[in-house]
Amino acid sequence: MNQDRSPEARKQSEDDQELLFQQRRESEYSDYSHVEISGGGEDSGNVLSTSTALNQCEKKVLNPYLGLLKILGWRPVVQNVTIFRRTFNQIYLLFIFSLLIASYVLKIFVCDSSIATGPTISTPHVNRTGLPTRVPAHSIVPAATRTWHCRHLFTTYLIPESIHGLAYVYLFYHFRIKETEQLSSLVQTVFLQSCNIQSTRKSQRKLITILRMFLVLGCVWVGMTVLSICLQVANQYVNKSERGNVNYNDWQITVVVCGHFIVNLVYMAIALNYCTQCQLLIHYVQYILLCIQERSLELKRVMQDVFKLKRFVSRLNGQMATATSLCLFSQANWFLFGFVNFLKRFYNDRTSSSAISWTHAALFPLLWLFALAPVLIQASRLTTICSKLRFSGLTVRLFGYQNCSPIDLDSFSSFLLTAKMEAKLFAFPISRKVVIGLISGAGIIFLLLVQLDPSVQLSIRI
């Protein structure tokens, strides 16, 4: 049929086919252009979502944390613009510091019976031989002849409270005077760096949720500690006639409760800062590992990110690790004495103690255990994932990385192996093995204390 057609018809048909082919190419090109524009819109959306997530993090996490620093006096309550505001900041700081000192002194003065084994009663008593003897603690003696002595004054009060005051002054120097608080800069770095991850919105939303959870749990812990001191004060009033303890008056109760609130708020702020930094660094390491797995960044860029990560870990092991170690020592002391006190109550005072006393004795060690656990867990998690990052260079060396030469792969692997990053407390690396060892040792000690005879327990003087 094509042979029967005239040359003009065949030429017209060829022109129509060429025009149709050009229209198809233009259609395909327009579709391709549409996809490219859509991709640019997604990139803009990622940048917008990162900015929105950063603003949400500042609103939900950073602003409450900065407010906490203002309450503790580690940051000015108001900006030092006028003389009146500077005077107000100084007066408020003096009030907080005086409240801490008053709380320390009242604990020692009253000899807080919630931790110590209880004050001993010494009164002049003459036996048959004419020599003075000590009256048993359960004897009924007139109040005018009683003299109270705290058995564990030095180890139970002076050392932990001195360490707590040292941690407060140490962070006051860094936060208020040197202004070296690094949490804000770390938040911005991590959020801006994670915008290159494909699942940006999901990962950032999850990170904000975790950081928000740390803040909420810290507030719950502080509230439980205030409840604990209220139970302790109530227990003193209930057992006033039986034990004869020195009791708080009205103004002392106010000072003790407010002082305990500020003291435990210091513990919360330090633990919150440390756990938040550990979580941000864990998120940063996950970003680097994902980029290595997907081969989405050049080796030089990955090495720069690892170097930046190493600098942040080094900063974490500096001032915050020092303050956190001081607090952990004090918290471990409170947990130990609270736990021993509970065992002694369980063996020797099952029926005479009231329900309030039993509730306080059981709640006290649990609170300090919950204060110790998150810090150790976060430090061990950071050490574990940093160790995983170090040995990821071996995988890169085995399977290759983009168009890199073997020399570049060897250099990258050597760089990661030498970049040793560990979370340290008490200048000692905290890993999963260390935490498991501490738990195992605590379990062994618990079994030994349970199996000890009560008379042996009473003979122990720490």
Side-chain angles (χ1 to χ4, degrees), residues 372-397:
L372 289 169
V375 176
L376 296 177
I377 292 175
Q378 286 293 98
S380 63
R381 290 182 64 220
L382 179 59
T383 302
T384 301
I385 196 169
C386 287
S387 177
K388 184 179 180 181
L389 175 63
R390 287 181 59 205
F391 291 99
S392 64
L394 300 178
T395 305
V396 173
R397 183 63 184 88

Side-chain angles (χ1 to χ4, degrees), residues 59-297:
K59 180 180 179 181
K60 295 182 179 180
V61 179
L62 281 182
N63 290 339
Y65 171 73
L66 296 178
L68 179 61
L69 297 186
K70 292 180 181 180
I71 294 175
L72 296 176
W74 287 342
R75 290 176 65 94
V77 180
V78 293
Q79 295 181 356
N80 293 324
V81 179
T82 62
I83 298 177
F84 175 77
R85 291 187 175 185
R86 287 196 294 267
T87 305
F88 176 78
N89 290 329
Q90 293 174 0
I91 293 176
Y92 180 79
L93 177 62
L94 181 62
F95 169 74
I96 293 296
F97 191 75
S98 301
L99 193 60
L100 288 175
I101 298 298
S103 177
Y104 301 156
V105 173
L106 282 178
K107 277 186 178 181
I108 298 173
F109 178 75
V110 181
C111 186
D112 192 346
S113 62
S114 62
I115 312 292
T117 56
T120 58
I121 307 174
S122 62
T123 182
H125 180 73
V126 180
N127 57 11
R128 295 180 179 179
T129 60
L131 298 176
T133 59
R134 184 179 297 274
V135 177
H138 60 272
S139 300
I140 300 177
V141 183
T145 62
R146 293 177 182 176
T147 304
W148 297 91
H149 303 282
C150 192
R151 293 180 178 177
H152 309 299
L153 179 64
F154 185 75
T155 56
T156 308
Y157 297 100
L158 291 180
I159 292 181
E161 302 300 344
S162 300
I163 292 177
H164 181 276
L166 179 62
Y168 178 85
V169 174
Y170 180 77
L171 287 183
F172 171 80
Y173 172 74
H174 283 282
F175 288 168
R176 186 73 174 266
I177 298 178
K178 294 186 66 176
E179 297 182 353
T180 56
E181 205 280 325
Q182 60 192 19
L183 182 60
S184 301
S185 60
L186 180 59
V187 168
Q188 294 178 0
T189 301
V190 171
F191 271 82
L192 294 177
Q193 200 75 20
S194 62
C195 66
N196 296 324
I197 303 178
Q198 294 180 357
S199 57
T200 300
R201 298 180 181 179
K202 183 178 179 180
S203 61
Q204 291 178 348
R205 193 177 298 116
K206 181 180 179 180
L207 179 60
I208 294 175
T209 303
I210 295 176
L211 299 183
R212 185 71 173 177
M213 183 182 63
F214 287 160
L215 182 62
V216 172
L217 291 179
C219 294
V220 171
W221 182 83
V222 172
M224 294 300 293
T225 57
V226 174
L227 175 62
S228 176
I229 185 60
C230 292
L231 290 175
Q232 187 264 326
V233 173
N235 179 54
Q236 284 190 344
Y237 277 97
V238 170
N239 299 329
K240 180 178 180 180
S241 60
E242 298 179 3
R243 301 181 58 134
N245 291 348
V246 180
N247 287 274
Y248 300 112
N249 54 34
D250 294 337
W251 72 268
Q252 287 177 340
I253 291 176
T254 304
V255 172
V256 166
V257 173
C258 295
H260 273 69
F261 175 75
I262 297 297
V263 167
N264 296 323
L265 211 61
V266 173
Y267 286 128
M268 171 198 167
I270 294 176
L272 178 64
N273 188 302
Y274 190 86
C275 293
T276 301
Q277 289 197 46
C278 287
Q279 187 63 39
L280 289 170
L281 292 175
I282 290 172
H283 186 82
Y284 194 20
V285 176
Q286 291 174 348
Y287 154 75
I288 298 176
L289 288 174
L290 182 60
C291 291
I292 294 176
Q293 181 181 1
E294 295 180 348
R295 310 300 198 263
S296 58
L297 291 179

